[in-house]
Amino acid sequence: MAKSKVLVVGGTGYIGKRIVKASLAQGHITYVLQRREMGLDIDKIQMLLSFKKQGARLIQGSFSDHQSLVDAVKQVDVVICTMSGVHFRSHNILLQLKLVDAIKEAGNIKRFIPSEFGTDPSRMGHALEPGRVTFDEKMRVRRAIEDAKIPFTYVTANCFAGYFAGNLSQMGTLMPPRDKVTIYGDGNVKVVYMDEDDIGLYTIKTIDDPRTLNKTLNIRPPENILSQRELVEKWEKLIGKELQKISFSQEDFLASMKGLDFASQVGVGHFYHFFYEGCLTNFEIGEEGEEASELYPDVKYTRMDEYLKLYL
């Protein structure tokens, strides 16, 4: 069977560039949307040109020009959107509704993967304000996809290692501490840490796989299901030193949200659900989902002790 042609929307972003890389590596004809709004953003332009050198095809389009999106979508079989959904960078989740309209009109897409890649929003109806806006908007996009009867795969990839593992899940830094570390509660709640390149590869693996059609792919490989304490222990072993542990109670953690700016409040809310409530691992994957490492055992996913060696 011929491999699907892929369009990546948001290809210069944090996850998008990994999706482009994986798509090319897996032998897919890969298009990247070159948005007219890029203007003078030289870093994005140069990344697009580097994709082109690697074999990707650039296709122009704009979210302010519906027909340009329809024309772009008609070139491919699969659309993967990786637009940012985090408030401290840019937050564009609902722009995807314009992409859904274009896919619906084009009528040729056999799989759409919207921008999710974090927590399963369908399990976050109880989420705290103001952070719940991320999950509510992702659910609005899901409803639009399903109402339009567009074939989909939703990808939930849990905690990106660059943001959650390298820093031992500390807020406000991306580098690991070497003296003392803040522990959320007792530090024993299980979360899932994923190398971003592995997220890209698992995502691309789904697009021609009938087992993931109209399902959620949960990227939750067993050896990367770790508590914060287990992650800290891996780092301590690597540096040959025990860190001072400072426990942050649930009550004090939630109280710390007061007075913060909006983006920081969103972050605190999400950390609460991950590290105190355990929303990433407190459920069994049902018939509506599949687990990535079970479907694709050939993927040698990065374990966190190996990942942390980068920070030595």
Side-chain angles (χ1 to χ4, degrees), residues 60-111:
Q60 288 207 357
S62 171
F63 279 87
S64 59
D65 180 351
H66 172 74
Q67 191 58 46
S68 74
L69 294 179
V70 174
D71 292 343
V73 164
K74 283 183 175 179
Q75 304 297 311
V76 300
D77 309 300
V78 172
V79 177
I80 303 174
C81 187
T82 59
M83 299 178 74
S84 176
V86 291
H87 285 83
F88 62 87
R89 289 170 71 98
S90 59
H91 185 82
N92 298 312
I93 293 298
L94 291 183
L95 260 185
Q96 292 182 100
L97 294 175
K98 294 186 176 184
L99 189 56
V100 171
D101 288 341
I103 291 170
K104 183 179 179 181
E105 181 173 327
N108 64 302
I109 292 303
K110 68 178 192 180
R111 196 79 62 98

Side-chain angles (χ1 to χ4, degrees), residues 2 27 30 43 64 74-75 119 159 172 194 207 221 228 230 254 262 269 273 281:
T30 305
D43 292 331
S64 59
K74 283 183 175 179
Q75 304 297 311
T119 314
C159 291
M194 285 305 305
I207 62 178
Q228 187 195 8
E230 288 171 328
L254 289 174
F262 183 83
H273 291 299
T281 58

